[in-house]
């Protein structure tokens, strides 16, 4: 099972970051190549964490533009900026776009994880709304998401996107259930990641304010 356009992991990260910044911090969207590379390399809200060079992001952008998933923004600024066309290309509503974005950024996740992590992009009132939107993604032709077999030690199934092709899965009997201590560590890591994400967002806002102030001052120089 594959989508019409199969992306590699870097292209998926670039696309996910463009969507995230448009939905979560629209004042700083579209993104320059430098800002996009920094977004791809964030340590918070990313799985796996990457260390891309600008050239890596540029190559991914060219590929995404070639297949109609990314666009160059209207000129007028001092540096070129880029946006995504995922909503129009795949005919997605806001809730579906937010979920697909989070799957691109963090890989397979449960319904509860997705609801919590999409809060800044599109708040879901209840888990049933998340499940309904995931079902819409799964029912598209070609499908954009899939429900994975339940992992050992987990009570809930996870969902994955299909923009990079069929994801690898672990069968129920491949590994023993996780220990209680491991589960506690995972929960703590989730809390730390959420805090890091908030700090990153605040830093991004601060940088935007600094840039705006510098541009404002330059008008009087």
């Amino acid at each position: 099972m594959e989508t019409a356009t199969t992306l590699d992991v870097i292209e998926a990260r670039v696309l996910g970051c463009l969507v995230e910044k448009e939905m979560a911090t629209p004042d700083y969207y579209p993104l320059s190549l430098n800002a996009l590379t920094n977004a791809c390399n964030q340590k918070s809200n990313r799985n796996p964490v990457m260390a891309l060079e600008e050239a890596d992001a540029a190559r991914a952008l060219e590929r995404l533009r070639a297949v109609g998933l990314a666009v160059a923004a209207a000129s007028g600024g001092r540096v070129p900026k880029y946006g995504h066309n995922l909503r129009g290309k795949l005919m997605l509503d806001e809730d579906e776009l937010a979920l697909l974005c989070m799957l691109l950024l963090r890989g397979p996740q449960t319904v509860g994880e997705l609801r919590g992590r999409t809060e800044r992009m599109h708040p879901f009132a209840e888990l049933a709304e998340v499940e309904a939107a995931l079902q819409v993604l799964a029912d598209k032709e070609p499908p954009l998401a899939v429900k994975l077999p339940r992992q050992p030690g987990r009570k809930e199934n996870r969902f994955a996107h299909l923009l990079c092709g069929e994801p690898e899965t672990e069968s129920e009997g491949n590994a023993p259930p996780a220990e209680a201590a491991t589960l506690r560590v995972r929960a703590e890591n989730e809390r730390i990641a959420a805090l890091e994400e908030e700090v990153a967002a605040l830093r991004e806002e601060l940088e935007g304010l600094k840039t705006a102030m510098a541009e404002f001052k330059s008008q009087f120089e």
Side-chain angles (χ1 to χ4, degrees):
M1 180 193 308
E2 292 188 345
T3 56
T5 300
T6 302
L7 308 180
D8 65 26
V9 292
I10 296 178
E11 292 160 0
R13 174 59 56 85
V14 166
L15 185 58
C17 288
L18 289 173
V19 177
E20 178 194 43
K21 298 309 177 185
E22 184 218 11
M23 299 189 78
T25 54
D27 289 345
Y28 311 116
Y29 175 87
L31 302 180
S32 67
L33 181 60
N34 177 260
L36 177 58
T37 305
N38 290 337
C40 290
N41 292 337
Q42 278 183 207
K43 292 183 179 179
S44 62
N45 206 34
R46 302 290 185 266
N47 185 29
V49 173
M50 293 182 173
L52 303 183
E53 302 290 340
E54 284 195 6
D56 300 318
R59 279 191 291 269
L61 268 175
E62 287 302 302
R63 160 73 169 150
L64 292 170
R65 292 175 65 188
V67 298
L69 291 174
V71 295
S75 59
R78 288 177 291 181
V79 296
K81 294 189 176 182
Y82 304 92
H84 74 90
N85 188 36
L86 194 58
R87 182 188 290 103
K89 183 77 172 179
L90 300 181
M91 304 300 292
L92 300 174
D93 291 335
E94 292 295 300
D95 55 348
E96 299 153 13
L97 183 64
L99 291 172
L100 190 57
C101 170
M102 194 51 57
L103 292 173
L104 286 166
L105 292 177
R106 296 196 65 144
Q109 295 159 77
T110 66
V111 171
E113 289 170 338
L114 286 166
R115 182 191 176 194
R117 291 165 180 165
T118 54
E119 180 69 26
R120 291 174 62 226
M121 295 186 289
H122 178 89
F124 290 90
E126 55 187 8
L127 294 178
E129 292 183 4
V130 181
E131 293 173 336
L134 287 168
Q135 191 60 52
V136 172
L137 292 173
D139 290 341
K140 285 187 176 290
E141 186 54 49
L144 300 176
V146 64
K147 186 177 184 178
L148 301 176
R150 189 164 63 86
Q151 278 190 314
R154 284 183 174 264
K155 295 182 179 180
E156 301 177 54
N157 293 81
R158 298 181 303 161
F159 290 79
H161 73 83
L162 292 171
L163 291 179
C164 293
E166 189 75 23
E168 295 183 4
T169 60
E170 296 179 6
S171 64
E172 190 72 31
N174 279 352
E179 304 91 344
T182 299
L183 295 176
R184 286 196 296 272
V185 169
R186 288 175 182 169
E188 183 64 27
N189 287 342
E190 288 291 337
R191 287 192 291 271
I192 292 172
L195 290 172
E196 289 177 342
E197 183 179 353
E198 289 185 22
V199 171
L202 290 171
R203 285 176 176 167
E204 188 172 341
E205 277 190 49
L206 179 59
E207 288 302 316
L209 290 171
K210 288 181 179 178
T211 300
M213 182 60 71
E215 291 176 351
F216 179 75
K217 288 181 177 179
S218 68
Q219 297 176 15
F220 301 94
E221 294 175 353

